[in-house]
Amino acid sequence: MSTAAGDRKSDIEGTPGAGGPKGAAELTGGYMNYVFIVLNIILAWLGMLLVLASLAALQHQINKDQNIAPESNNWLVLGKDITQGNPSGTYHTFAGFAINSGYPALQPGRLLRFEWFTFFLTFVVLCVVGLAMIGRVIRQTRSMVVGYMAVNLVLAIISTNNVYNLSHFAGHGRHYHSARAVFTGYLFVDIALFGLIYLLGLEF
């Protein structure tokens, strides 16, 4: 076997090459641990793509249905339609349910601000994890990375629960399907973050 082939094999198996840096598998506790870490990272990014697409669609639907006069915004607090004759009755049902589900009494376009914050925080945390893996410094930084992911997981679980409750507001209309897609995406993120916290929290 040639020296180059031996170096490639050592990188895959986690054995240090001749004078070179340690393989990624060795830096993450072995080959199987490395594989599961990569699979969880892929799952997290798939969930992020689903959240981005469906949350943007839900935000667009909310903004598009926002044709209520400013002086009629009390219906947000009351959770019922006080603008008789307005054609967007489905949206009124949504907003009332959103408020009754614990969302703040803000303008309709701002109701999903926490979900957007969780999305961008998760994006940053996953980038940090990826850079630590690529730079082969995950062993030195894993305490920091696990701490970030733990906070991120709590916020992601809250967003998952919020969006799940939100998905019940409009029967089986377009809002329902978008909210359920956001819920599914956040569920993928929750599972992936939980797996990464476990795998990177092991002693290796």
Side-chain angles (χ1 to χ4, degrees), residues 1-164:
M1 181 181 295
S2 65
T3 303
D7 289 342
R8 286 195 298 269
K9 182 179 179 182
S10 65
D11 285 342
I12 294 174
E13 294 178 349
T15 304
K22 293 182 178 180
E26 182 179 357
L27 293 174
T28 53
Y31 182 74
M32 289 303 298
N33 207 37
Y34 174 74
V35 169
F36 283 116
I37 288 173
V38 172
L39 289 176
N40 277 277
I41 291 176
I42 293 173
L43 178 63
W45 281 112
L46 289 176
M48 288 288 286
L49 289 175
L50 182 56
V51 169
L52 176 61
S54 50
L55 190 60
L58 182 60
Q59 185 71 67
H60 172 72
Q61 292 158 5
I62 292 173
N63 295 339
K64 184 178 180 181
D65 289 343
Q66 194 175 182
N67 56 351
I68 306 168
E71 62 272 12
S72 302
N73 281 339
N74 287 335
W75 69 276
L76 281 170
V77 180
L78 297 175
K80 62 181 180 180
D81 184 2
I82 64 172
T83 55
Q84 300 297 329
N86 194 291
S88 58
T90 301
Y91 182 67
H92 297 159
T93 304
F94 154 67
F97 187 88
I99 300 304
N100 292 334
S101 298
Y103 278 80
L106 299 172
Q107 293 291 333
R110 299 181 180 178
L111 288 175
L112 300 177
R113 62 181 186 171
F114 183 81
E115 284 68 36
W116 281 114
F117 170 76
T118 303
F119 171 82
F120 287 112
L121 177 64
T122 307
F123 176 81
V124 172
V125 170
L126 290 177
C127 287
V128 170
V129 175
L131 289 175
M133 293 284 292
I134 294 172
R136 298 189 175 186
V137 293
I138 191 65
R139 178 172 288 178
Q140 297 92 320
T141 61
R142 63 177 183 155
S143 296
M144 175 193 71
V145 169
V146 168
Y148 287 161
M149 288 191 298
V151 175
N152 194 172
L153 177 59
V154 172
L155 298 180
I157 291 174
I158 294 173
S159 295
T160 305
N161 180 68
N162 289 346
V163 178
Y164 179 74

